[in-house]
PDB file of all heavy atoms in Angstrom:
ATOM      1  N   ARG A   1       0.823  -1.212   0.000  1.00 91.00           N
ATOM      2  CA  ARG A   1       0.000   0.000   0.000  1.00 91.00           C
ATOM      3  C   ARG A   1       0.857   1.262   0.000  1.00 91.00           C
ATOM      4  O   ARG A   1       0.326   2.365   0.025  1.00 91.00           O
ATOM      5  CB  ARG A   1      -0.911   0.016   1.232  1.00 91.00           C
ATOM      6  CG  ARG A   1      -1.839  -1.181   1.312  1.00 91.00           C
ATOM      7  CD  ARG A   1      -2.646  -1.149   2.590  1.00 91.00           C
ATOM      8  NE  ARG A   1      -3.539   0.002   2.622  1.00 91.00           N
ATOM      9  CZ  ARG A   1      -3.854   0.664   3.725  1.00 91.00           C
ATOM     10  NH1 ARG A   1      -3.307   0.329   4.881  1.00 91.00           N
ATOM     11  NH2 ARG A   1      -4.678   1.690   3.679  1.00 91.00           N
ATOM     12  N   GLY A   2       2.178   1.088   0.004  1.00 92.00           N
ATOM     13  CA  GLY A   2       3.029   2.244   0.123  1.00 92.00           C
ATOM     14  C   GLY A   2       3.457   2.836  -1.201  1.00 92.00           C
ATOM     15  O   GLY A   2       3.028   3.924  -1.583  1.00 92.00           O
ATOM     16  N   PHE A   3       4.292   2.112  -1.955  1.00 93.00           N
ATOM     17  CA  PHE A   3       4.923   2.702  -3.136  1.00 93.00           C
ATOM     18  C   PHE A   3       5.098   1.753  -4.304  1.00 93.00           C
ATOM     19  O   PHE A   3       5.653   2.147  -5.322  1.00 93.00           O
ATOM     20  CB  PHE A   3       6.301   3.258  -2.745  1.00 93.00           C
ATOM     21  CG  PHE A   3       7.165   2.251  -2.022  1.00 93.00           C
ATOM     22  CD1 PHE A   3       7.906   1.320  -2.731  1.00 93.00           C
ATOM     23  CD2 PHE A   3       7.229   2.224  -0.645  1.00 93.00           C
ATOM     24  CE1 PHE A   3       8.693   0.382  -2.081  1.00 93.00           C
ATOM     25  CE2 PHE A   3       8.014   1.287   0.024  1.00 93.00           C
ATOM     26  CZ  PHE A   3       8.751   0.364  -0.704  1.00 93.00           C
ATOM     27  N   CYS A   4       4.648   0.501  -4.203  1.00 93.00           N
ATOM     28  CA  CYS A   4       4.824  -0.451  -5.300  1.00 93.00           C
ATOM     29  C   CYS A   4       4.034   0.039  -6.525  1.00 93.00           C
ATOM     30  O   CYS A   4       2.802   0.124  -6.481  1.00 93.00           O
ATOM     31  CB  CYS A   4       4.344  -1.837  -4.895  1.00 93.00           C
ATOM     32  SG  CYS A   4       4.472  -3.057  -6.240  1.00 93.00           S
ATOM     33  N   PRO A   5       4.708   0.367  -7.634  1.00 93.00           N
ATOM     34  CA  PRO A   5       3.981   0.882  -8.802  1.00 93.00           C
ATOM     35  C   PRO A   5       3.011  -0.126  -9.395  1.00 93.00           C
ATOM     36  O   PRO A   5       1.936   0.247  -9.864  1.00 93.00           O
ATOM     37  CB  PRO A   5       5.099   1.235  -9.794  1.00 93.00           C
ATOM     38  CG  PRO A   5       6.336   1.381  -8.967  1.00 93.00           C
ATOM     39  CD  PRO A   5       6.166   0.404  -7.848  1.00 93.00           C
ATOM     40  N   SER A   6       3.379  -1.408  -9.393  1.00 92.00           N
ATOM     41  CA  SER A   6       2.529  -2.427  -9.998  1.00 92.00           C
ATOM     42  C   SER A   6       1.251  -2.632  -9.184  1.00 92.00           C
ATOM     43  O   SER A   6       0.145  -2.561  -9.713  1.00 92.00           O
ATOM     44  CB  SER A   6       3.301  -3.742 -10.126  1.00 92.00           C
ATOM     45  OG  SER A   6       2.464  -4.770 -10.603  1.00 92.00           O
ATOM     46  N   CYS A   7       1.396  -2.873  -7.880  1.00 93.00           N
ATOM     47  CA  CYS A   7       0.217  -3.103  -7.043  1.00 93.00           C
ATOM     48  C   CYS A   7      -0.619  -1.845  -6.909  1.00 93.00           C
ATOM     49  O   CYS A   7      -1.849  -1.895  -6.914  1.00 93.00           O
ATOM     50  CB  CYS A   7       0.654  -3.608  -5.676  1.00 93.00           C
ATOM     51  SG  CYS A   7       1.447  -5.238  -5.720  1.00 93.00           S
ATOM     52  N   GLY A   8       0.058  -0.692  -6.804  1.00 94.00           N
ATOM     53  CA  GLY A   8      -0.678   0.561  -6.722  1.00 94.00           C
ATOM     54  C   GLY A   8      -1.443   0.864  -7.997  1.00 94.00           C
ATOM     55  O   GLY A   8      -2.567   1.355  -7.954  1.00 94.00           O
ATOM     56  N   GLY A   9      -0.828   0.575  -9.148  1.00 94.00           N
ATOM     57  CA  GLY A   9      -1.509   0.809 -10.417  1.00 94.00           C
ATOM     58  C   GLY A   9      -2.710  -0.098 -10.611  1.00 94.00           C
ATOM     59  O   GLY A   9      -3.765   0.340 -11.108  1.00 94.00           O
ATOM     60  N   ARG A  10      -2.571  -1.359 -10.214  1.00 93.00           N
ATOM     61  CA  ARG A  10      -3.708  -2.278 -10.349  1.00 93.00           C
ATOM     62  C   ARG A  10      -4.840  -1.872  -9.401  1.00 93.00           C
ATOM     63  O   ARG A  10      -6.023  -1.886  -9.779  1.00 93.00           O
ATOM     64  CB  ARG A  10      -3.252  -3.707 -10.044  1.00 93.00           C
ATOM     65  CG  ARG A  10      -4.361  -4.746 -10.210  1.00 93.00           C
ATOM     66  CD  ARG A  10      -3.854  -6.159 -10.071  1.00 93.00           C
ATOM     67  NE  ARG A  10      -3.231  -6.377  -8.790  1.00 93.00           N
ATOM     68  CZ  ARG A  10      -1.919  -6.529  -8.598  1.00 93.00           C
ATOM     69  NH1 ARG A  10      -1.095  -6.448  -9.621  1.00 93.00           N
ATOM     70  NH2 ARG A  10      -1.423  -6.725  -7.394  1.00 93.00           N
ATOM     71  N   ARG A  11      -4.490  -1.527  -8.173  1.00 95.00           N
ATOM     72  CA  ARG A  11      -5.519  -1.094  -7.217  1.00 95.00           C
ATOM     73  C   ARG A  11      -6.215   0.170  -7.718  1.00 95.00           C
ATOM     74  O   ARG A  11      -7.435   0.316  -7.587  1.00 95.00           O
ATOM     75  CB  ARG A  11      -4.863  -0.851  -5.856  1.00 95.00           C
ATOM     76  CG  ARG A  11      -5.850  -0.553  -4.743  1.00 95.00           C
ATOM     77  CD  ARG A  11      -5.130  -0.305  -3.421  1.00 95.00           C
ATOM     78  NE  ARG A  11      -4.374  -1.476  -3.007  1.00 95.00           N
ATOM     79  CZ  ARG A  11      -3.053  -1.535  -2.957  1.00 95.00           C
ATOM     80  NH1 ARG A  11      -2.327  -0.494  -3.326  1.00 95.00           N
ATOM     81  NH2 ARG A  11      -2.445  -2.628  -2.573  1.00 95.00           N
ATOM     82  N   MET A  12      -5.443   1.089  -8.298  1.00 96.00           N
ATOM     83  CA  MET A  12      -6.010   2.314  -8.854  1.00 96.00           C
ATOM     84  C   MET A  12      -7.046   2.006  -9.927  1.00 96.00           C
ATOM     85  O   MET A  12      -8.165   2.538  -9.906  1.00 96.00           O
ATOM     86  CB  MET A  12      -4.888   3.169  -9.448  1.00 96.00           C
ATOM     87  CG  MET A  12      -5.330   4.337 -10.296  1.00 96.00           C
ATOM     88  SD  MET A  12      -3.966   5.044 -11.251  1.00 96.00           S
ATOM     89  CE  MET A  12      -3.730   3.720 -12.475  1.00 96.00           C
ATOM     90  N   ALA A  13      -6.692   1.139 -10.882  1.00 96.00           N
ATOM     91  CA  ALA A  13      -7.603   0.833 -11.982  1.00 96.00           C
ATOM     92  C   ALA A  13      -8.858   0.123 -11.482  1.00 96.00           C
ATOM     93  O   ALA A  13      -9.983   0.440 -11.913  1.00 96.00           O
ATOM     94  CB  ALA A  13      -6.879  -0.026 -13.011  1.00 96.00           C
ATOM     95  N   GLU A  14      -8.691  -0.814 -10.557  1.00 96.00           N
ATOM     96  CA  GLU A  14      -9.843  -1.564 -10.055  1.00 96.00           C
ATOM     97  C   GLU A  14     -10.802  -0.665  -9.281  1.00 96.00           C
ATOM     98  O   GLU A  14     -12.021  -0.721  -9.459  1.00 96.00           O
ATOM     99  CB  GLU A  14      -9.361  -2.712  -9.169  1.00 96.00           C
ATOM    100  CG  GLU A  14      -8.639  -3.822  -9.943  1.00 96.00           C
ATOM    101  CD  GLU A  14      -8.054  -4.867  -9.010  1.00 96.00           C
ATOM    102  OE1 GLU A  14      -8.024  -4.620  -7.777  1.00 96.00           O
ATOM    103  OE2 GLU A  14      -7.611  -5.921  -9.509  1.00 96.00           O
ATOM    104  N   ARG A  15     -10.258   0.188  -8.416  1.00 97.00           N
ATOM    105  CA  ARG A  15     -11.120   1.040  -7.602  1.00 97.00           C
ATOM    106  C   ARG A  15     -11.798   2.114  -8.438  1.00 97.00           C
ATOM    107  O   ARG A  15     -12.969   2.453  -8.197  1.00 97.00           O
ATOM    108  CB  ARG A  15     -10.302   1.670  -6.474  1.00 97.00           C
ATOM    109  CG  ARG A  15      -9.937   0.673  -5.371  1.00 97.00           C
ATOM    110  CD  ARG A  15      -9.155   1.331  -4.261  1.00 97.00           C
ATOM    111  NE  ARG A  15      -8.972   0.427  -3.133  1.00 97.00           N
ATOM    112  CZ  ARG A  15      -8.253   0.720  -2.053  1.00 97.00           C
ATOM    113  NH1 ARG A  15      -7.660   1.903  -1.965  1.00 97.00           N
ATOM    114  NH2 ARG A  15      -8.130  -0.149  -1.073  1.00 97.00           N
ATOM    115  N   ALA A  16     -11.070   2.673  -9.397  1.00 97.00           N
ATOM    116  CA  ALA A  16     -11.687   3.692 -10.254  1.00 97.00           C
ATOM    117  C   ALA A  16     -12.848   3.092 -11.042  1.00 97.00           C
ATOM    118  O   ALA A  16     -13.917   3.706 -11.153  1.00 97.00           O
ATOM    119  CB  ALA A  16     -10.640   4.278 -11.195  1.00 97.00           C
ATOM    120  N   ALA A  17     -12.647   1.899 -11.603  1.00 97.00           N
ATOM    121  CA  ALA A  17     -13.724   1.245 -12.347  1.00 97.00           C
ATOM    122  C   ALA A  17     -14.908   0.939 -11.437  1.00 97.00           C
ATOM    123  O   ALA A  17     -16.074   1.095 -11.833  1.00 97.00           O
ATOM    124  CB  ALA A  17     -13.200  -0.032 -12.994  1.00 97.00           C
ATOM    125  N   HIS A  18     -14.628   0.518 -10.199  1.00 97.00           N
ATOM    126  CA  HIS A  18     -15.715   0.213  -9.258  1.00 97.00           C
ATOM    127  C   HIS A  18     -16.515   1.463  -8.924  1.00 97.00           C
ATOM    128  O   HIS A  18     -17.762   1.427  -8.882  1.00 97.00           O
ATOM    129  CB  HIS A  18     -15.136  -0.401  -7.980  1.00 97.00           C
ATOM    130  CG  HIS A  18     -16.140  -0.563  -6.885  1.00 97.00           C
ATOM    131  ND1 HIS A  18     -17.120  -1.534  -6.902  1.00 97.00           N
ATOM    132  CD2 HIS A  18     -16.343   0.147  -5.737  1.00 97.00           C
ATOM    133  CE1 HIS A  18     -17.877  -1.432  -5.821  1.00 97.00           C
ATOM    134  NE2 HIS A  18     -17.424  -0.419  -5.102  1.00 97.00           N
ATOM    135  N   LEU A  19     -15.835   2.580  -8.677  1.00 97.00           N
ATOM    136  CA  LEU A  19     -16.540   3.811  -8.334  1.00 97.00           C
ATOM    137  C   LEU A  19     -17.450   4.270  -9.469  1.00 97.00           C
ATOM    138  O   LEU A  19     -18.581   4.694  -9.237  1.00 97.00           O
ATOM    139  CB  LEU A  19     -15.532   4.909  -7.991  1.00 97.00           C
ATOM    140  CG  LEU A  19     -14.740   4.736  -6.691  1.00 97.00           C
ATOM    141  CD1 LEU A  19     -13.726   5.864  -6.534  1.00 97.00           C
ATOM    142  CD2 LEU A  19     -15.668   4.696  -5.484  1.00 97.00           C
ATOM    143  N   VAL A  20     -16.947   4.178 -10.697  1.00 97.00           N
ATOM    144  CA  VAL A  20     -17.735   4.637 -11.843  1.00 97.00           C
ATOM    145  C   VAL A  20     -18.889   3.681 -12.141  1.00 97.00           C
ATOM    146  O   VAL A  20     -20.010   4.114 -12.435  1.00 97.00           O
ATOM    147  CB  VAL A  20     -16.831   4.809 -13.072  1.00 97.00           C
ATOM    148  CG1 VAL A  20     -17.660   5.133 -14.310  1.00 97.00           C
ATOM    149  CG2 VAL A  20     -15.818   5.922 -12.829  1.00 97.00           C
ATOM    150  N   ASP A  21     -18.647   2.388 -12.058  1.00 96.00           N
ATOM    151  CA  ASP A  21     -19.654   1.405 -12.457  1.00 96.00           C
ATOM    152  C   ASP A  21     -20.681   1.104 -11.368  1.00 96.00           C
ATOM    153  O   ASP A  21     -21.830   0.756 -11.674  1.00 96.00           O
ATOM    154  CB  ASP A  21     -18.987   0.091 -12.870  1.00 96.00           C
ATOM    155  CG  ASP A  21     -18.146   0.238 -14.127  1.00 96.00           C
ATOM    156  OD1 ASP A  21     -18.354   1.223 -14.864  1.00 96.00           O
ATOM    157  OD2 ASP A  21     -17.270  -0.615 -14.363  1.00 96.00           O
ATOM    158  N   HIS A  22     -20.279   1.229 -10.085  1.00 96.00           N
ATOM    159  CA  HIS A  22     -21.148   0.733  -9.017  1.00 96.00           C
ATOM    160  C   HIS A  22     -21.424   1.722  -7.891  1.00 96.00           C
ATOM    161  O   HIS A  22     -22.192   1.390  -6.976  1.00 96.00           O
ATOM    162  CB  HIS A  22     -20.546  -0.535  -8.402  1.00 96.00           C
ATOM    163  CG  HIS A  22     -20.304  -1.633  -9.384  1.00 96.00           C
ATOM    164  ND1 HIS A  22     -21.325  -2.321  -9.996  1.00 96.00           N
ATOM    165  CD2 HIS A  22     -19.143  -2.139  -9.892  1.00 96.00           C
ATOM    166  CE1 HIS A  22     -20.814  -3.227 -10.832  1.00 96.00           C
ATOM    167  NE2 HIS A  22     -19.501  -3.126 -10.795  1.00 96.00           N
ATOM    168  N   VAL A  23     -20.820   2.894  -7.911  1.00 97.00           N
ATOM    169  CA  VAL A  23     -21.000   3.824  -6.791  1.00 97.00           C
ATOM    170  C   VAL A  23     -21.611   5.139  -7.249  1.00 97.00           C
ATOM    171  O   VAL A  23     -22.700   5.515  -6.796  1.00 97.00           O
ATOM    172  CB  VAL A  23     -19.659   4.075  -6.056  1.00 97.00           C
ATOM    173  CG1 VAL A  23     -19.851   5.121  -4.955  1.00 97.00           C
ATOM    174  CG2 VAL A  23     -19.122   2.783  -5.462  1.00 97.00           C
ATOM    175  N   PHE A  24     -20.952   5.860  -8.158  1.00 97.00           N
ATOM    176  CA  PHE A  24     -21.438   7.184  -8.529  1.00 97.00           C
ATOM    177  C   PHE A  24     -22.640   7.079  -9.464  1.00 97.00           C
ATOM    178  O   PHE A  24     -22.578   6.413 -10.500  1.00 97.00           O
ATOM    179  CB  PHE A  24     -20.337   8.006  -9.205  1.00 97.00           C
ATOM    180  CG  PHE A  24     -19.320   8.551  -8.250  1.00 97.00           C
ATOM    181  CD1 PHE A  24     -18.017   8.117  -8.278  1.00 97.00           C
ATOM    182  CD2 PHE A  24     -19.693   9.506  -7.303  1.00 97.00           C
ATOM    183  CE1 PHE A  24     -17.083   8.619  -7.395  1.00 97.00           C
ATOM    184  CE2 PHE A  24     -18.768  10.015  -6.421  1.00 97.00           C
ATOM    185  CZ  PHE A  24     -17.461   9.569  -6.456  1.00 97.00           C
ATOM    186  N   PRO A  25     -23.734   7.744  -9.110  1.00 97.00           N
ATOM    187  CA  PRO A  25     -24.894   7.775 -10.027  1.00 97.00           C
ATOM    188  C   PRO A  25     -24.579   8.652 -11.232  1.00 97.00           C
ATOM    189  O   PRO A  25     -23.563   9.358 -11.272  1.00 97.00           O
ATOM    190  CB  PRO A  25     -26.005   8.395  -9.165  1.00 97.00           C
ATOM    191  CG  PRO A  25     -25.263   9.245  -8.181  1.00 97.00           C
ATOM    192  CD  PRO A  25     -23.968   8.534  -7.889  1.00 97.00           C
ATOM    193  N   ARG A  26     -25.439   8.616 -12.205  1.00 96.00           N
ATOM    194  CA  ARG A  26     -25.215   9.400 -13.431  1.00 96.00           C
ATOM    195  C   ARG A  26     -25.726  10.826 -13.242  1.00 96.00           C
ATOM    196  O   ARG A  26     -26.743  11.237 -13.813  1.00 96.00           O
ATOM    197  CB  ARG A  26     -25.893   8.698 -14.617  1.00 96.00           C
ATOM    198  CG  ARG A  26     -25.231   7.373 -14.948  1.00 96.00           C
ATOM    199  CD  ARG A  26     -25.840   6.680 -16.132  1.00 96.00           C
ATOM    200  NE  ARG A  26     -25.108   5.452 -16.435  1.00 96.00           N
ATOM    201  CZ  ARG A  26     -24.059   5.365 -17.229  1.00 96.00           C
ATOM    202  NH1 ARG A  26     -23.621   6.455 -17.838  1.00 96.00           N
ATOM    203  NH2 ARG A  26     -23.441   4.230 -17.447  1.00 96.00           N
ATOM    204  N   VAL A  27     -24.990  11.539 -12.428  1.00 97.00           N
ATOM    205  CA  VAL A  27     -25.252  12.951 -12.136  1.00 97.00           C
ATOM    206  C   VAL A  27     -23.903  13.664 -12.123  1.00 97.00           C
ATOM    207  O   VAL A  27     -22.856  13.016 -12.095  1.00 97.00           O
ATOM    208  CB  VAL A  27     -25.967  13.115 -10.774  1.00 97.00           C
ATOM    209  CG1 VAL A  27     -27.316  12.419 -10.780  1.00 97.00           C
ATOM    210  CG2 VAL A  27     -25.083  12.593  -9.638  1.00 97.00           C
ATOM    211  N   PRO A  28     -23.890  15.000 -12.151  1.00 97.00           N
ATOM    212  CA  PRO A  28     -22.602  15.706 -12.107  1.00 97.00           C
ATOM    213  C   PRO A  28     -21.835  15.411 -10.816  1.00 97.00           C
ATOM    214  O   PRO A  28     -22.430  15.273  -9.739  1.00 97.00           O
ATOM    215  CB  PRO A  28     -23.000  17.179 -12.189  1.00 97.00           C
ATOM    216  CG  PRO A  28     -24.370  17.183 -12.804  1.00 97.00           C
ATOM    217  CD  PRO A  28     -25.028  15.929 -12.333  1.00 97.00           C
ATOM    218  N   VAL A  29     -20.520  15.304 -10.936  1.00 98.00           N
ATOM    219  CA  VAL A  29     -19.637  15.050  -9.790  1.00 98.00           C
ATOM    220  C   VAL A  29     -18.538  16.112  -9.796  1.00 98.00           C
ATOM    221  O   VAL A  29     -17.869  16.308 -10.814  1.00 98.00           O
ATOM    222  CB  VAL A  29     -19.015  13.637  -9.852  1.00 98.00           C
ATOM    223  CG1 VAL A  29     -18.008  13.447  -8.724  1.00 98.00           C
ATOM    224  CG2 VAL A  29     -20.100  12.569  -9.789  1.00 98.00           C
ATOM    225  N   ARG A  30     -18.367  16.776  -8.660  1.00 98.00           N
ATOM    226  CA  ARG A  30     -17.346  17.830  -8.548  1.00 98.00           C
ATOM    227  C   ARG A  30     -16.216  17.343  -7.646  1.00 98.00           C
ATOM    228  O   ARG A  30     -16.447  16.731  -6.603  1.00 98.00           O
ATOM    229  CB  ARG A  30     -17.951  19.109  -7.976  1.00 98.00           C
ATOM    230  CG  ARG A  30     -16.962  20.291  -7.922  1.00 98.00           C
ATOM    231  CD  ARG A  30     -17.637  21.562  -7.408  1.00 98.00           C
ATOM    232  NE  ARG A  30     -18.682  22.035  -8.314  1.00 98.00           N
ATOM    233  CZ  ARG A  30     -18.461  22.819  -9.360  1.00 98.00           C
ATOM    234  NH1 ARG A  30     -17.220  23.213  -9.649  1.00 98.00           N
ATOM    235  NH2 ARG A  30     -19.474  23.205 -10.121  1.00 98.00           N
ATOM    236  N   GLN A  31     -14.985  17.654  -8.058  1.00 98.00           N
ATOM    237  CA  GLN A  31     -13.824  17.323  -7.225  1.00 98.00           C
ATOM    238  C   GLN A  31     -13.446  18.536  -6.364  1.00 98.00           C
ATOM    239  O   GLN A  31     -13.173  19.616  -6.868  1.00 98.00           O
ATOM    240  CB  GLN A  31     -12.628  16.930  -8.099  1.00 98.00           C
ATOM    241  CG  GLN A  31     -11.383  16.618  -7.284  1.00 98.00           C
ATOM    242  CD  GLN A  31     -10.198  16.206  -8.130  1.00 98.00           C
ATOM    243  OE1 GLN A  31      -9.618  15.149  -7.927  1.00 98.00           O
ATOM    244  NE2 GLN A  31      -9.835  17.025  -9.095  1.00 98.00           N
ATOM    245  N   TRP A  32     -13.413  18.313  -5.039  1.00 98.00           N
ATOM    246  CA  TRP A  32     -12.945  19.306  -4.080  1.00 98.00           C
ATOM    247  C   TRP A  32     -11.605  18.815  -3.535  1.00 98.00           C
ATOM    248  O   TRP A  32     -11.536  17.718  -2.962  1.00 98.00           O
ATOM    249  CB  TRP A  32     -13.929  19.472  -2.926  1.00 98.00           C
ATOM    250  CG  TRP A  32     -15.297  19.990  -3.303  1.00 98.00           C
ATOM    251  CD1 TRP A  32     -16.261  19.324  -3.998  1.00 98.00           C
ATOM    252  CD2 TRP A  32     -15.840  21.268  -2.976  1.00 98.00           C
ATOM    253  NE1 TRP A  32     -17.376  20.113  -4.138  1.00 98.00           N
ATOM    254  CE2 TRP A  32     -17.150  21.310  -3.512  1.00 98.00           C
ATOM    255  CE3 TRP A  32     -15.373  22.377  -2.281  1.00 98.00           C
ATOM    256  CZ2 TRP A  32     -17.989  22.414  -3.377  1.00 98.00           C
ATOM    257  CZ3 TRP A  32     -16.202  23.483  -2.139  1.00 98.00           C
ATOM    258  CH2 TRP A  32     -17.492  23.498  -2.683  1.00 98.00           C
ATOM    259  N   VAL A  33     -10.552  19.598  -3.723  1.00 98.00           N
ATOM    260  CA  VAL A  33      -9.214  19.209  -3.274  1.00 98.00           C
ATOM    261  C   VAL A  33      -8.802  20.143  -2.143  1.00 98.00           C
ATOM    262  O   VAL A  33      -8.711  21.360  -2.332  1.00 98.00           O
ATOM    263  CB  VAL A  33      -8.187  19.278  -4.415  1.00 98.00           C
ATOM    264  CG1 VAL A  33      -6.807  18.832  -3.914  1.00 98.00           C
ATOM    265  CG2 VAL A  33      -8.630  18.404  -5.586  1.00 98.00           C
ATOM    266  N   LEU A  34      -8.551  19.565  -0.968  1.00 97.00           N
ATOM    267  CA  LEU A  34      -8.150  20.344   0.201  1.00 97.00           C
ATOM    268  C   LEU A  34      -6.695  20.049   0.541  1.00 97.00           C
ATOM    269  O   LEU A  34      -6.337  18.908   0.855  1.00 97.00           O
ATOM    270  CB  LEU A  34      -9.037  20.012   1.406  1.00 97.00           C
ATOM    271  CG  LEU A  34      -8.649  20.705   2.715  1.00 97.00           C
ATOM    272  CD1 LEU A  34      -8.868  22.217   2.608  1.00 97.00           C
ATOM    273  CD2 LEU A  34      -9.435  20.127   3.889  1.00 97.00           C
ATOM    274  N   SER A  35      -5.854  21.085   0.474  1.00 97.00           N
ATOM    275  CA  SER A  35      -4.477  21.003   0.945  1.00 97.00           C
ATOM    276  C   SER A  35      -4.384  21.673   2.303  1.00 97.00           C
ATOM    277  O   SER A  35      -5.142  22.613   2.599  1.00 97.00           O
ATOM    278  CB  SER A  35      -3.519  21.674  -0.050  1.00 97.00           C
ATOM    279  OG  SER A  35      -3.574  21.023  -1.306  1.00 97.00           O
ATOM    280  N   LEU A  36      -3.433  21.218   3.125  1.00 96.00           N
ATOM    281  CA  LEU A  36      -3.395  21.602   4.528  1.00 96.00           C
ATOM    282  C   LEU A  36      -2.057  22.230   4.900  1.00 96.00           C
ATOM    283  O   LEU A  36      -1.053  22.023   4.203  1.00 96.00           O
ATOM    284  CB  LEU A  36      -3.653  20.370   5.404  1.00 96.00           C
ATOM    285  CG  LEU A  36      -4.987  19.668   5.129  1.00 96.00           C
ATOM    286  CD1 LEU A  36      -4.934  18.228   5.596  1.00 96.00           C
ATOM    287  CD2 LEU A  36      -6.120  20.414   5.807  1.00 96.00           C
ATOM    288  N   PRO A  37      -1.997  22.965   6.000  1.00 95.00           N
ATOM    289  CA  PRO A  37      -0.714  23.511   6.459  1.00 95.00           C
ATOM    290  C   PRO A  37       0.311  22.396   6.716  1.00 95.00           C
ATOM    291  O   PRO A  37      -0.053  21.269   7.063  1.00 95.00           O
ATOM    292  CB  PRO A  37      -1.085  24.227   7.761  1.00 95.00           C
ATOM    293  CG  PRO A  37      -2.541  24.517   7.646  1.00 95.00           C
ATOM    294  CD  PRO A  37      -3.123  23.385   6.850  1.00 95.00           C
ATOM    295  N   HIS A  38       1.594  22.744   6.580  1.00 92.00           N
ATOM    296  CA  HIS A  38       2.648  21.728   6.670  1.00 92.00           C
ATOM    297  C   HIS A  38       2.626  20.984   8.004  1.00 92.00           C
ATOM    298  O   HIS A  38       2.799  19.758   8.046  1.00 92.00           O
ATOM    299  CB  HIS A  38       4.014  22.384   6.454  1.00 92.00           C
ATOM    300  CG  HIS A  38       4.278  22.733   5.033  1.00 92.00           C
ATOM    301  ND1 HIS A  38       3.668  23.787   4.402  1.00 92.00           N
ATOM    302  CD2 HIS A  38       5.086  22.156   4.100  1.00 92.00           C
ATOM    303  CE1 HIS A  38       4.077  23.856   3.155  1.00 92.00           C
ATOM    304  NE2 HIS A  38       4.937  22.888   2.942  1.00 92.00           N
ATOM    305  N   ARG A  39       2.457  21.699   9.103  1.00 90.00           N
ATOM    306  CA  ARG A  39       2.450  21.046  10.411  1.00 90.00           C
ATOM    307  C   ARG A  39       1.307  20.044  10.503  1.00 90.00           C
ATOM    308  O   ARG A  39       1.462  18.960  11.077  1.00 90.00           O
ATOM    309  CB  ARG A  39       2.309  22.112  11.506  1.00 90.00           C
ATOM    310  CG  ARG A  39       2.182  21.572  12.919  1.00 90.00           C
ATOM    311  CD  ARG A  39       3.397  20.775  13.340  1.00 90.00           C
ATOM    312  NE  ARG A  39       3.275  20.267  14.701  1.00 90.00           N
ATOM    313  CZ  ARG A  39       4.087  19.366  15.230  1.00 90.00           C
ATOM    314  NH1 ARG A  39       5.075  18.888  14.518  1.00 90.00           N
ATOM    315  NH2 ARG A  39       3.918  18.953  16.466  1.00 90.00           N
ATOM    316  N   LEU A  40       0.166  20.368   9.948  1.00 93.00           N
ATOM    317  CA  LEU A  40      -0.978  19.469  10.007  1.00 93.00           C
ATOM    318  C   LEU A  40      -0.770  18.255   9.119  1.00 93.00           C
ATOM    319  O   LEU A  40      -1.190  17.143   9.453  1.00 93.00           O
ATOM    320  CB  LEU A  40      -2.247  20.225   9.606  1.00 93.00           C
ATOM    321  CG  LEU A  40      -3.587  19.532   9.855  1.00 93.00           C
ATOM    322  CD1 LEU A  40      -3.697  19.074  11.296  1.00 93.00           C
ATOM    323  CD2 LEU A  40      -4.735  20.452   9.502  1.00 93.00           C
TER     324      LEU A  40
END
């Protein structure tokens, strides 16, 4: 789960496909990206 490119890439593809096919309804989806202070 740390840095393996092969396992991370496969997990990425599987989860993205699952979210699109089985989780998100066919409505608009907005991405909110929150970055935090360095100490936090």
Side-chain angles (χ1 to χ4, degrees):
R1 301 176 64 214
F3 52 83
C4 178
S6 175
C7 295
R10 182 173 59 252
R11 187 181 299 112
M12 169 193 72
E14 291 174 349
R15 287 181 172 176
H18 172 74
L19 291 177
V20 174
D21 294 341
H22 303 291
V23 176
F24 284 114
R26 293 182 177 271
V27 298
V29 175
R30 184 177 295 274
Q31 178 179 235
W32 297 70
V33 181
L34 176 67
S35 299
L36 302 158
H38 285 74
R39 176 61 180 168
L40 191 53

